[in-house]
Amino acid sequence: MTTSFTDLNLHPTLLQTVTELGYTEPTPIQSAIIPTMLTGRDVIGQAQTGTGKTAAFALPMLQNLVSDQRQVQGLVLTPTRELALQVANAIYEYGQHQNVRVLAIYGGQSYNRQIARLKKGVDIVIGTPGRMLDLIRQKVLDLSAARTVVLDEADEMLSMGFIEDIQAILDQTPTRRQTALFSATLPSEIRRLASQYLLDPFSATIQPQQVTVDGVEQRYYLVNAADKTAALTRLFEVEPIRRALIFTRTRVSSGDLANELSARGFAADVLNGDLAQEARERVLNRFRQGQIKVLVATDVAARGLDIDDISHVINYDLPEEVELYVHRIGRTARAGKTGIAISLVTPAEQWRLRRLEGFTKQTIARASLPSEEDILKQREGQLLKQMETWLGRARYQRERELVMRLVEAGHDPLEIASAALKIARAEEKQRPIAPISEVQTARQRRDRRELRTTPGRGSRPDRGEWAQAGRSNPARRDHPSRRESASYETASHEKGMIRLTISQGRVHGIRPNDVVGTIAFHANIPGYTIGKIHIHDHHTLVDVPEQFLAQVLTNNGSYRINKQPVSVEVAS
Ligand code: AMP
């Protein structure tokens, strides 16, 4: 028997809100949790995202608010900033007729704003444990009047190493509070946490929907956000792609990615909401007929796309909704064929991945990106295969005559063949193998963050260092990893890169774009291969890939910045 919202003892104002939101009936977790939470009892909900769990705890929390209180009454702890924002928006929406004051607090946002809002008065705070604890310790967040405390995605918080922070936060709340714990899984640490902090809890379990994506080989690659395109181009070198559909989260990024791929020598078209119907049809036909192998699309634009034989679906960004992932990868492995689904995942997105695994009840295997050596071997293997094909066909009469001429001129046939292959490989230079930086684990990132935010532990670089390393490039300024004193060193820290000195610096008005522009243009190398740039007062250091060193140095004499000639030499 299905229940109705009116059976759940909700206040008429909240009933009005759910009706306005178009919710016709409660989801199973809502039917199970709402009436119990309204009695004040502690609860454990084993439920995934997508089950309506946010409303299951938010509606009772809102109903239990006492108006005109100055102190925080509701608290929700979430593993990530994204989820904190999502939950804060949902609670704000559910509480719209109560003028509820909701605040999301998370690391990475200015303290001042959060502190100012807390001082003005907030009813419900939602946030990640680290920042929450920071604010408690700074005595700006007072939880002594919290009535309802929710641990959302508790298993994720534990796997991210937040257990001690959670315990420290719970210890700041009154013992006579109501506690609700939500988690997709209930491993022993979660049960231990529950037995320590929950009193006689009521439990509800919602079985995840079974979804199958049979025939699709799913894997993921862990990469830094800045390396996603580089990772993709490396994969293009080794994957047997017949037709690839790449998904990005936004319209803008789909266009940018298609342009960038094309610039790197991998022709790609874009399918997004900007296209008129006629242009959309043209793009789809090119893709269908195999004139273009790679299509970058948004979820909306790819809706209803009817193309069989897609060998690869690539999630350049993971989708926000788990259902979308299944829709996306369902576009490959159609009609009994097998397909490959590849996801590029940043360390900050790993929680999304685990959620997907929970939803699809399948493990997505982590794979390693091909190394430079792998790619070179692959290219050589392909070249040999092409050679064998041509040798089999033996249709190269005119080329044979050219070889004869070289033999008659006294060259050894083996040397001639080697030189011919060298020429044949020249186009590979247009596809330099993009460097990929090392990925940090969540713990490493956390340790780094702590190091930066703990006073007295060298959190901020001194003014001198700021001025030297990042002043003329604001984009680099907020990247702590780039503020290292390496800006003074004459050798690059990146493998395969060589550090060069340019004879002018800040006092000459040099900007990073000038450096990239002049080197890329005069040495004829792709701008994106140019690495770190450190602008000093009277000179500039720039890293370039070793493979282009000779090309850059032989063009010395032609480099100009702001119309002034500059010299470029290996740094010493
Ligand atoms: P959640 O699992 O809390 O992230 O919710 C998943 C989605 O379901 C959200 O977009 C909610 O707005 C929506 N939702 C929650 N409860 C209901 C309901 N009873 N009927 C329809 N949609 C709902």
Side-chain angles (χ1 to χ4, degrees):
M1 196 190 82
T2 53
T3 45
S4 131
F5 272 111
T6 49
D7 301 329
L8 303 183
N9 302 331
L10 281 170
H11 191 275
T13 313
L14 290 171
L15 284 178
Q16 184 194 342
T17 307
V18 292
T19 310
E20 284 169 4
L21 287 172
Y23 298 180
T24 48
E25 60 185 48
T27 65
I29 191 84
Q30 292 164 358
S31 303
I33 296 281
I34 291 174
T36 314
M37 267 189 85
L38 286 175
T39 66
R41 187 169 167 190
D42 285 355
V43 298
I44 296 178
Q46 188 177 358
Q48 318 251 347
T49 285
T51 53
K53 67 181 165 67
T54 315
F57 64 75
L59 295 173
M61 182 184 259
L62 287 162
Q63 184 150 326
N64 288 339
L65 285 185
V66 175
S67 51
D68 297 330
Q69 279 247 332
R70 285 211 49 83
Q71 284 171 293
V72 171
Q73 300 180 60
L75 171 71
V76 184
L77 292 179
T78 66
T80 63
R81 162 187 142 151
E82 283 93 341
L83 189 61
L85 282 167
Q86 204 175 306
V87 171
N89 284 335
I91 296 183
Y92 180 74
E93 209 169 21
Y94 297 140
Q96 57 189 299
H97 294 304
Q98 289 171 264
N99 292 328
V100 60
R101 294 165 303 173
V102 178
L103 177 65
I105 57 181
Y106 45 81
Q109 202 196 27
S110 113
Y111 278 94
N112 291 346
R113 229 166 71 204
Q114 296 173 355
I115 292 173
R117 286 283 313 276
L118 282 169
K119 285 195 171 146
K120 269 194 36 230
V122 171
D123 301 305
I124 299 174
V125 287
I126 301 101
T128 49
R131 176 59 66 100
M132 195 85 86
L133 198 57
D134 258 4
L135 293 175
I136 293 173
R137 290 189 172 142
Q138 291 183 36
K139 303 231 177 304
V140 281
L141 176 59
D142 172 15
L143 297 178
S144 62
R147 305 156 66 84
T148 315
V149 176
V150 176
L151 307 179
D152 197 8
E153 304 205 347
D155 51 355
E156 285 299 327
M157 288 199 281
L158 258 57
S159 72
M160 289 170 81
F162 282 135
I163 180 78
E164 283 157 20
D165 291 359
I166 295 171
Q167 287 170 327
I169 293 166
L170 288 174
D171 291 340
Q172 296 297 315
T173 60
T175 29
R176 281 176 56 87
R177 61 169 190 263
Q178 176 179 39
T179 313
L181 181 152
F182 288 84
S183 193
T185 57
L186 293 180
S188 55
E189 310 100 279
I190 298 279
R191 291 178 196 277
R192 248 199 318 278
L193 184 75
S195 65
Q196 204 181 343
Y197 288 96
L198 273 67
L199 189 70
D200 179 31
F202 165 81
S203 292
T205 300
I206 302 303
Q207 293 301 338
Q209 225 178 312
Q210 184 68 45
V211 279
T212 51
V213 275
D214 295 338
V216 184
E217 177 195 327
Q218 300 175 65
R219 43 186 148 94
Y220 79 97
Y221 295 87
L222 193 62
V223 289
N224 292 319
D227 289 333
K228 280 191 174 180
T229 309
L232 202 52
T233 56
R234 283 196 178 201
L235 289 169
F236 281 169
E237 296 267 357
V238 297
E239 287 291 326
I241 292 179
R242 285 191 309 277
R243 267 195 202 103
L245 193 54
I246 305 179
F247 284 96
T248 58
R249 214 173 293 148
T250 65
R251 201 160 35 87
V252 177
S253 53
S254 62
D256 288 349
L257 179 60
N259 286 341
E260 183 136 358
L261 287 174
S262 301
R264 291 185 184 204
F266 301 93
D269 252 348
V270 66
L271 188 75
N272 66 25
D274 286 343
L275 297 185
Q277 187 57 27
E278 211 178 301
R280 179 183 157 92
E281 278 309 313
R282 235 187 349 259
V283 168
L284 285 178
N285 276 338
R286 276 154 59 83
F287 190 52
R288 249 186 224 116
Q289 290 160 6
Q291 287 160 341
I292 194 107
K293 286 210 295 192
V294 179
L295 191 58
V296 186
T298 54
D299 292 294
V300 176
R303 236 178 244 162
L305 194 78
D306 172 31
I307 293 176
D308 279 339
D309 206 19
I310 290 176
S311 60
H312 289 68
V313 167
I314 298 173
N315 295 300
Y316 187 81
D317 301 308
L318 284 180
E320 310 241 342
E321 308 271 338
V322 282
E323 292 86 348
L324 272 182
Y325 175 81
V326 179
H327 284 156
R328 284 182 180 183
I329 73 171
R331 301 195 174 280
T332 181
R334 283 201 179 162
K337 294 202 174 91
T338 53
I340 294 171
I342 287 175
S343 300
L344 300 180
V345 179
T346 64
E349 281 176 327
Q350 271 179 296
W351 63 278
R352 278 188 208 277
L353 186 84
R354 279 189 223 111
R355 220 191 241 193
L356 292 177
E357 290 184 321
F359 185 75
T360 56
K361 292 203 139 187
Q362 291 187 0
T363 335
I364 304 175
R366 178 170 171 189
S368 305
L369 284 172
S371 64
E372 285 195 40
E373 189 54 39
D374 296 336
I375 293 174
L376 291 176
K377 270 202 193 126
Q378 173 81 10
R379 287 180 177 178
E380 284 165 6
Q382 275 174 348
L383 188 63
L384 287 179
K385 229 158 89 188
Q386 274 179 310
M387 289 293 291
E388 302 239 339
T389 307
W390 277 103
L391 287 168
R393 282 190 200 150
R395 286 174 59 185
Y396 34 64
Q397 189 52 36
R398 295 197 66 132
E399 288 73 17
R400 205 166 190 282
E401 281 165 20
L402 293 177
V403 174
M404 283 304 293
R405 270 162 59 184
L406 288 166
V407 173
E408 279 159 18
H411 295 288
D412 178 66
L414 190 63
E415 301 299 317
I416 299 171
S418 307
L421 282 186
K422 183 88 187 165
I423 296 171
R425 296 183 74 176
E427 61 86 31
E428 283 180 25
K429 285 234 158 61
Q430 302 307 313
R431 288 183 287 132
I433 303 169
I436 304 255
S437 54
E438 200 189 320
V439 177
Q440 286 186 339
T441 62
R443 183 159 289 282
Q444 283 170 319
R445 278 184 295 131
R446 217 170 148 238
D447 290 349
R448 258 190 114 108
R449 255 200 324 263
E450 273 175 12
L451 206 68
R452 290 204 315 270
T453 51
T454 311
R457 271 207 273 163
S459 52
R460 262 182 148 241
D462 62 35
R463 288 179 64 90
E465 197 181 338
W466 270 97
Q468 290 295 333
R471 189 161 157 195
S472 53
N473 185 353
R476 284 166 188 252
R477 196 181 288 178
D478 53 20
H479 232 297
S481 59
R482 297 206 174 125
R483 292 186 213 133
E484 69 274 317
S485 56
S487 63
Y488 294 102
E489 292 178 11
T490 50
S492 173
H493 284 218
E494 282 178 68
K495 200 166 155 257
M497 301 294 276
I498 301 288
R499 186 156 290 185
L500 305 175
T501 311
I502 298 177
S503 56
Q504 294 197 353
R506 184 174 304 119
V507 298
H508 308 98
I510 284 192
R511 293 161 312 152
N513 280 351
D514 302 327
V515 175
V516 175
T518 192
I519 294 182
F521 179 74
H522 292 290
N524 192 21
I525 69 171
Y528 66 83
T529 61
I530 294 173
K532 288 191 174 154
I533 297 169
H534 299 290
I535 300 177
H536 294 255
D537 284 347
H538 297 281
H539 73 286
T540 297
L541 298 173
V542 55
D543 292 354
V544 298
E546 197 171 0
Q547 72 205 90
F548 294 133
L549 183 64
Q551 225 163 306
V552 172
L553 295 180
T554 46
N555 285 289
N556 220 343
S558 53
Y559 300 114
R560 278 188 162 61
I561 295 180
N562 300 334
K563 300 199 180 124
Q564 295 299 311
V566 294
S567 72
V568 177
E569 286 161 14
V570 174
S572 57

